[in-house]
Amino acid sequence: MQTEAPERNLGLDLVRVTEAAALAAARWLGRGNGKAGDKAAVDAMRLSFNAVDIDGVVVIGEGEKDKAPMLYNGEKLGTGRGPKVDVAVDPVEGTRLLAYGRPNAISVVAMAPRGSMFNPGPAFYMSKLVVPSAARHAIDLDASPEENLKNIAKALGKDVNDLTVFVLDKPRHKELIAHIRKAGARIQLHTDGDVAGALMAVLPETSVDVMMGTGGTPEGVLAAAAIKVVGGEMLGRLDPQSATEKEALLKAGYDLQRVLSTQDLIRSDDVFFAATGISGGDFLSGVRFTGPGAITYSVVMRGKTGTVRRIEAIHSFDQLMQISAINYN
């Protein structure tokens, strides 16, 4: 009986990309220069993509072409010999976390078939509500925080007092924080780390049950790729934080009232997601330099099979020297 050969798991190629970026950025951990760390990660990630057999286009990258020399929106990635795909990248998610040596800085890549990834365009900010699989039918973006938390707790089999909510510590969330405290839930306040926060909300091994609040739209799309695999849910709505952003969105034809689900953000199950820890965090340990080399900790996900792999990789001194050459030359 003839059987079909299994398709190549491109997620394993992507995790090599995030490993390279994380190793490059980790040299700058706590050194107060987030821009240098981000540049090192961008350079390493871009070089690593040269070996990946995809015909990729960056949908979510480091910025428009005139602002970012590499990994800009619209840039082509890969050898050009593989499947046509949309690519979302964040070489350092949490640049300030990296600069000050704080937890949860990660390197992230997501990939989906061409045309299936939501393009944020001029949308920088989005209101988000992220929950694990068991609570995916219990949320409503138009409901109050108190009502959502009550329904989430019921779906998870917990008391509201036992819920932990990830919220970005920003002035715009003053009212939201007051509502969450009124409901009786616990709060983890984080200065940065939008993608990490969404992942913590959907992965069972973390202490976070929910993510609420307004964060980056590009980060929302990146997180949606992982949420598609593990079965959680994200509801979002574009939430411009300035008159200029709002005007640009309306001019581009975006509907500011539309509620976006995970399915709207990633319109395919054939999705890949990879992340590697830079600084240690709740769900990924950071890069550990050992003298002879380094150890990285990553997660890689594949939507078609629902596979989630945890990878601990040992990197040789020679590999580190190659990445150091990217950093400093």
Side-chain angles (χ1 to χ4, degrees):
M1 179 179 175
Q2 188 173 3
T3 59
E4 286 188 24
E7 294 179 0
R8 183 177 179 184
N9 185 354
L10 288 168
L12 299 177
D13 292 310
L14 293 187
V15 82
R16 295 185 188 100
V17 171
T18 58
E19 285 172 350
L23 285 165
R27 290 294 190 190
W28 295 92
L29 182 68
R31 293 172 61 182
N33 192 341
K35 287 185 178 180
D38 188 56
K39 182 183 183 304
V42 169
D43 291 348
M45 181 173 278
R46 184 63 181 83
L47 188 64
S48 297
F49 262 118
N50 288 341
V52 181
D53 283 332
I54 57 171
D55 180 0
V57 173
V58 177
V59 173
I60 293 170
E62 289 289 281
E64 299 300 329
K65 187 172 182 178
D66 59 346
K67 294 181 181 179
M70 287 194 291
L71 298 178
Y72 55 82
N73 298 344
E75 182 178 359
K76 291 183 179 295
L77 290 179
T79 63
R81 294 191 295 268
K84 296 181 183 297
V85 293
D86 289 339
V87 182
V89 303
D90 200 342
V92 178
E93 205 257 332
T95 306
R96 279 181 293 187
L97 301 178
L98 170 67
Y100 298 112
R102 294 171 181 158
N104 296 321
I106 59 177
S107 178
V108 192
V109 171
M111 192 169 70
R114 182 76 52 83
S116 64
M117 199 173 278
F118 179 78
N119 190 332
F124 298 119
Y125 291 96
M126 181 170 69
S127 174
K128 305 172 195 174
L129 180 53
V130 184
V131 293
S133 180
R136 66 186 182 277
H137 299 304
I139 55 175
D140 180 350
L141 205 58
D142 291 317
S144 67
E146 292 92 336
E147 186 177 348
N148 272 313
L149 289 170
K150 177 183 175 182
N151 292 334
I152 292 166
K154 183 178 179 181
L156 297 180
K158 297 185 176 185
D159 292 330
V160 173
N161 293 348
D162 294 330
L163 293 179
T164 300
V165 186
F166 179 106
V167 181
L168 290 176
D169 190 6
K170 306 292 183 183
R172 62 179 176 265
H173 289 149
K174 182 178 179 180
E175 186 176 341
L176 171 64
I177 291 168
H179 279 288
I180 295 170
R181 287 175 175 161
K182 183 180 177 182
R186 301 176 298 166
I187 300 174
Q188 278 192 18
L189 288 173
H190 294 256
T191 57
D192 300 276
D194 228 346
V195 177
L199 292 178
M200 283 189 267
V202 298
L203 293 174
E205 62 267 30
T206 76
S207 59
V208 172
D209 301 291
V210 192
M211 186 182 87
M212 287 182 163
T214 294
T217 307
E219 289 82 356
V221 180
L222 268 163
I227 295 169
K228 285 279 286 191
V229 181
V230 299
E233 180 62 284
M234 172 190 291
L235 296 181
R237 180 187 286 124
L238 300 183
D239 187 16
Q241 297 296 296
S242 69
T244 302
E245 183 184 355
K246 183 176 181 179
E247 183 181 353
L249 286 168
L250 292 173
K251 188 175 180 180
Y254 285 82
D255 181 357
L256 302 188
Q257 301 306 312
R258 181 186 177 192
V259 175
L260 298 161
S261 67
T262 304
Q263 179 61 32
D264 295 319
L265 296 171
I266 305 287
R267 298 183 300 275
S268 172
D269 292 328
D270 190 14
V271 62
F272 294 93
F273 176 91
T276 300
I278 300 172
S279 58
D282 284 6
F283 76 101
L284 279 176
S285 297
V287 174
R288 187 153 59 93
F289 293 104
T290 61
I295 301 173
T296 56
Y297 302 88
S298 304
V299 61
V300 57
M301 306 180 185
R302 186 182 187 188
K304 234 177 183 181
T305 58
T307 306
V308 179
R309 285 183 171 90
R310 295 273 182 175
I311 298 176
E312 178 180 332
I314 300 173
H315 303 269
S316 69
F317 177 77
D318 287 343
Q319 287 176 297
L320 295 187
M321 289 301 292
Q322 289 175 2
I323 291 171
S324 293
I326 297 168
N327 275 332
Y328 302 114
N329 286 351

